[in-house]
Amino acid sequence: MLRSICGSFAIRFVTLLQVLFHITFTFPSLQRAVIEIFYPQYTMSRPALYYATPSPPSRAVVLTAKAIGLDLELRPINLLKGEHLTPEFIKMNPQHTIPTLVDGDATIIDSHSICAYLVEKYGKEQQQLYPKDLVQRANVDARLHLDSGHLFARLRFLYEPILYFGSTDCSIDKIAYIQKCYEILEGFLKEQPYLCGTDLTIADFCAVATVTSVNDAAPIDEFKFPKVNAWLKRLAELPYYQEVNRDGADELKAIFKAKLAENRGK
């Protein structure tokens, strides 16, 4: 009796599944709804990153994505050709900067904000990169501001006039101004392996992308800044570092040297 009931139930269950299968694939909208409910991983489009490999902020974002195992859709932008100044790009990002992230209906600008956003949304198992603890997060935010307000700002102060406006000013004052930042980094790294303590964070990604983009023009004295040099070597051991950061940094430094030589030859 029990076997008969179970067999009857199994037949009806299979029949129901067949009916649902037929209905689902007869009506595409219903099919999409079922997939979105039961298999959301197959319906989520990849976040799109407008970026350039020579750009330190772009590389910081890609370093973060690699660290959390996120596959971004990379959309290259050529700054020297003004591709960030097109009406379409300015409509998307009125600040016309890269990197710019488009994730579904959301558009996020500024590399530091993007890095934090990616870890918060996609890095559930890598929360130490942007910790939940209020004090720890405040320290990471502080180092991010160090990068945006000092490190990267001083790189731009040196690079931008030469790359875009024909300048030949590569003065010792500008170089020394950058090297002042190394003193700050050395202080943070004096008793810890990373900028915010014992754990790697997005602040390290943002800062290393900047420092390695300007350390030819503004060399890092290994005797004055041993901790900074050790930190650079530590980050260079990351399995994705060469591809994501070193090659792009070398590209930017080569562009800078070539442009400076071209400007001086005019």
mmCIF file of all heavy atoms in Angstrom, residues 53 61 86 124 132 135 141 156 168 175 181 189 195 219 224 228 231 254:
data_model
loop_
_atom_site.group_PDB
_atom_site.id
_atom_site.type_symbol
_atom_site.label_atom_id
_atom_site.label_comp_id
_atom_site.label_asym_id
_atom_site.label_seq_id
_atom_site.Cartn_x
_atom_site.Cartn_y
_atom_site.Cartn_z
ATOM 1 N N THR A 53 45.556 50.774 -18.401
ATOM 2 C CA THR A 53 46.617 50.080 -17.666
ATOM 3 C C THR A 53 47.700 51.012 -17.129
ATOM 4 O O THR A 53 48.255 50.738 -16.060
ATOM 5 C CB THR A 53 47.260 48.963 -18.529
ATOM 6 O OG1 THR A 53 47.666 49.507 -19.789
ATOM 7 C CG2 THR A 53 46.278 47.839 -18.767
ATOM 8 N N VAL A 61 42.215 49.348 -8.585
ATOM 9 C CA VAL A 61 40.912 48.676 -8.643
ATOM 10 C C VAL A 61 41.060 47.243 -9.147
ATOM 11 O O VAL A 61 40.456 46.309 -8.598
ATOM 12 C CB VAL A 61 39.925 49.459 -9.537
ATOM 13 C CG1 VAL A 61 38.646 48.658 -9.760
ATOM 14 C CG2 VAL A 61 39.604 50.812 -8.909
ATOM 15 N N THR A 86 34.571 62.350 -24.326
ATOM 16 C CA THR A 86 33.452 62.232 -25.258
ATOM 17 C C THR A 86 32.148 62.546 -24.529
ATOM 18 O O THR A 86 32.039 62.351 -23.310
ATOM 19 C CB THR A 86 33.372 60.818 -25.843
ATOM 20 O OG1 THR A 86 33.090 59.893 -24.787
ATOM 21 C CG2 THR A 86 34.665 60.433 -26.545
ATOM 22 N N LYS A 124 33.063 38.954 0.249
ATOM 23 C CA LYS A 124 32.542 38.488 1.539
ATOM 24 C C LYS A 124 33.573 37.704 2.332
ATOM 25 O O LYS A 124 33.560 37.711 3.559
ATOM 26 C CB LYS A 124 31.292 37.616 1.312
ATOM 27 C CG LYS A 124 30.161 38.317 0.558
ATOM 28 C CD LYS A 124 29.705 39.595 1.252
ATOM 29 C CE LYS A 124 28.557 40.248 0.493
ATOM 30 N NZ LYS A 124 28.161 41.537 1.090
ATOM 31 N N LYS A 132 35.252 45.655 8.668
ATOM 32 C CA LYS A 132 33.988 46.164 9.206
ATOM 33 C C LYS A 132 34.207 46.959 10.495
ATOM 34 O O LYS A 132 33.451 47.883 10.787
ATOM 35 C CB LYS A 132 33.044 44.994 9.499
ATOM 36 C CG LYS A 132 32.625 44.195 8.285
ATOM 37 C CD LYS A 132 31.583 44.925 7.472
ATOM 38 C CE LYS A 132 30.996 44.024 6.387
ATOM 39 N NZ LYS A 132 30.001 44.741 5.564
ATOM 40 N N VAL A 135 37.144 51.299 13.866
ATOM 41 C CA VAL A 135 38.474 51.904 13.988
ATOM 42 C C VAL A 135 39.385 51.441 12.859
ATOM 43 O O VAL A 135 40.104 52.248 12.247
ATOM 44 C CB VAL A 135 39.093 51.569 15.361
ATOM 45 C CG1 VAL A 135 40.537 52.060 15.435
ATOM 46 C CG2 VAL A 135 38.272 52.189 16.482
ATOM 47 N N ASP A 141 40.569 54.176 5.635
ATOM 48 C CA ASP A 141 40.100 55.401 4.970
ATOM 49 C C ASP A 141 41.162 56.503 5.035
ATOM 50 O O ASP A 141 41.375 57.240 4.069
ATOM 51 C CB ASP A 141 38.801 55.893 5.611
ATOM 52 C CG ASP A 141 37.603 55.016 5.286
ATOM 53 O OD1 ASP A 141 37.652 54.282 4.274
ATOM 54 O OD2 ASP A 141 36.613 55.057 6.041
ATOM 55 N N ARG A 156 50.588 63.600 -9.948
ATOM 56 C CA ARG A 156 49.916 64.412 -10.983
ATOM 57 C C ARG A 156 50.610 65.765 -11.153
ATOM 58 O O ARG A 156 50.723 66.271 -12.270
ATOM 59 C CB ARG A 156 48.449 64.630 -10.618
ATOM 60 C CG ARG A 156 47.564 63.418 -10.805
ATOM 61 C CD ARG A 156 46.110 63.780 -10.634
ATOM 62 N NE ARG A 156 45.667 64.725 -11.652
ATOM 63 C CZ ARG A 156 44.433 65.236 -11.720
ATOM 64 N NH1 ARG A 156 43.537 64.894 -10.817
ATOM 65 N NH2 ARG A 156 44.105 66.075 -12.669
ATOM 66 N N THR A 168 58.359 70.986 -19.544
ATOM 67 C CA THR A 168 59.640 70.284 -19.359
ATOM 68 C C THR A 168 60.090 70.352 -17.893
ATOM 69 O O THR A 168 61.235 70.041 -17.575
ATOM 70 C CB THR A 168 60.731 70.917 -20.247
ATOM 71 O OG1 THR A 168 60.877 72.311 -19.889
ATOM 72 C CG2 THR A 168 60.371 70.805 -21.725
ATOM 73 N N ILE A 175 60.302 66.686 -7.316
ATOM 74 C CA ILE A 175 60.754 65.334 -6.954
ATOM 75 C C ILE A 175 60.859 65.205 -5.436
ATOM 76 O O ILE A 175 60.394 64.218 -4.842
ATOM 77 C CB ILE A 175 62.097 65.021 -7.636
ATOM 78 C CG1 ILE A 175 61.893 64.910 -9.151
ATOM 79 C CG2 ILE A 175 62.694 63.735 -7.073
ATOM 80 C CD1 ILE A 175 63.166 64.852 -9.943
ATOM 81 N N CYS A 181 56.584 62.113 0.819
ATOM 82 C CA CYS A 181 55.550 61.109 1.101
ATOM 83 C C CYS A 181 56.162 59.784 1.526
ATOM 84 O O CYS A 181 55.550 59.032 2.299
ATOM 85 C CB CYS A 181 54.664 60.900 -0.120
ATOM 86 S SG CYS A 181 53.580 62.281 -0.491
ATOM 87 N N LEU A 189 54.931 52.133 8.262
ATOM 88 C CA LEU A 189 55.429 50.771 8.078
ATOM 89 C C LEU A 189 56.524 50.397 9.080
ATOM 90 O O LEU A 189 57.049 49.285 9.040
ATOM 91 C CB LEU A 189 55.975 50.610 6.654
ATOM 92 C CG LEU A 189 54.932 50.704 5.535
ATOM 93 C CD1 LEU A 189 55.616 50.917 4.188
ATOM 94 C CD2 LEU A 189 54.057 49.452 5.501
ATOM 95 N N LEU A 195 50.275 49.021 5.503
ATOM 96 C CA LEU A 195 50.001 50.400 5.903
ATOM 97 C C LEU A 195 49.037 50.521 7.074
ATOM 98 O O LEU A 195 49.066 51.512 7.802
ATOM 99 C CB LEU A 195 49.456 51.194 4.707
ATOM 100 C CG LEU A 195 50.450 51.484 3.579
ATOM 101 C CD1 LEU A 195 49.775 52.223 2.442
ATOM 102 C CD2 LEU A 195 51.645 52.283 4.104
ATOM 103 N N PRO A 219 63.243 58.578 -6.960
ATOM 104 C CA PRO A 219 63.760 57.310 -6.434
ATOM 105 C C PRO A 219 63.553 57.165 -4.923
ATOM 106 O O PRO A 219 63.521 58.158 -4.187
ATOM 107 C CB PRO A 219 65.254 57.375 -6.780
ATOM 108 C CG PRO A 219 65.358 58.377 -7.883
ATOM 109 C CD PRO A 219 64.283 59.378 -7.624
ATOM 110 N N LYS A 224 67.373 55.186 3.501
ATOM 111 C CA LYS A 224 66.458 56.066 4.239
ATOM 112 C C LYS A 224 65.094 55.422 4.442
ATOM 113 O O LYS A 224 64.429 55.679 5.447
ATOM 114 C CB LYS A 224 66.291 57.397 3.487
ATOM 115 C CG LYS A 224 67.466 58.325 3.547
ATOM 116 C CD LYS A 224 67.185 59.610 2.801
ATOM 117 C CE LYS A 224 66.092 60.421 3.449
ATOM 118 N NZ LYS A 224 65.876 61.726 2.761
ATOM 119 N N VAL A 228 59.777 50.913 3.393
ATOM 120 C CA VAL A 228 59.026 51.115 2.151
ATOM 121 C C VAL A 228 59.491 50.113 1.098
ATOM 122 O O VAL A 228 58.671 49.500 0.402
ATOM 123 C CB VAL A 228 59.187 52.567 1.628
ATOM 124 C CG1 VAL A 228 58.520 52.717 0.258
ATOM 125 C CG2 VAL A 228 58.569 53.554 2.615
ATOM 126 N N TRP A 231 58.165 46.715 1.939
ATOM 127 C CA TRP A 231 56.719 46.688 1.633
ATOM 128 C C TRP A 231 56.492 46.482 0.139
ATOM 129 O O TRP A 231 55.644 45.675 -0.265
ATOM 130 C CB TRP A 231 56.111 47.996 2.127
ATOM 131 C CG TRP A 231 54.705 48.295 1.728
ATOM 132 C CD1 TRP A 231 53.565 47.687 2.176
ATOM 133 C CD2 TRP A 231 54.284 49.320 0.817
ATOM 134 N NE1 TRP A 231 52.452 48.270 1.601
ATOM 135 C CE2 TRP A 231 52.880 49.273 0.767
ATOM 136 C CE3 TRP A 231 54.957 50.268 0.052
ATOM 137 C CZ2 TRP A 231 52.120 50.153 -0.028
ATOM 138 C CZ3 TRP A 231 54.225 51.136 -0.729
ATOM 139 C CH2 TRP A 231 52.817 51.070 -0.780
ATOM 140 N N ALA A 254 57.511 54.765 -18.881
ATOM 141 C CA ALA A 254 58.091 54.875 -20.228
ATOM 142 C C ALA A 254 57.430 56.004 -21.011
ATOM 143 O O ALA A 254 58.106 56.769 -21.725
ATOM 144 C CB ALA A 254 57.937 53.553 -20.974
#
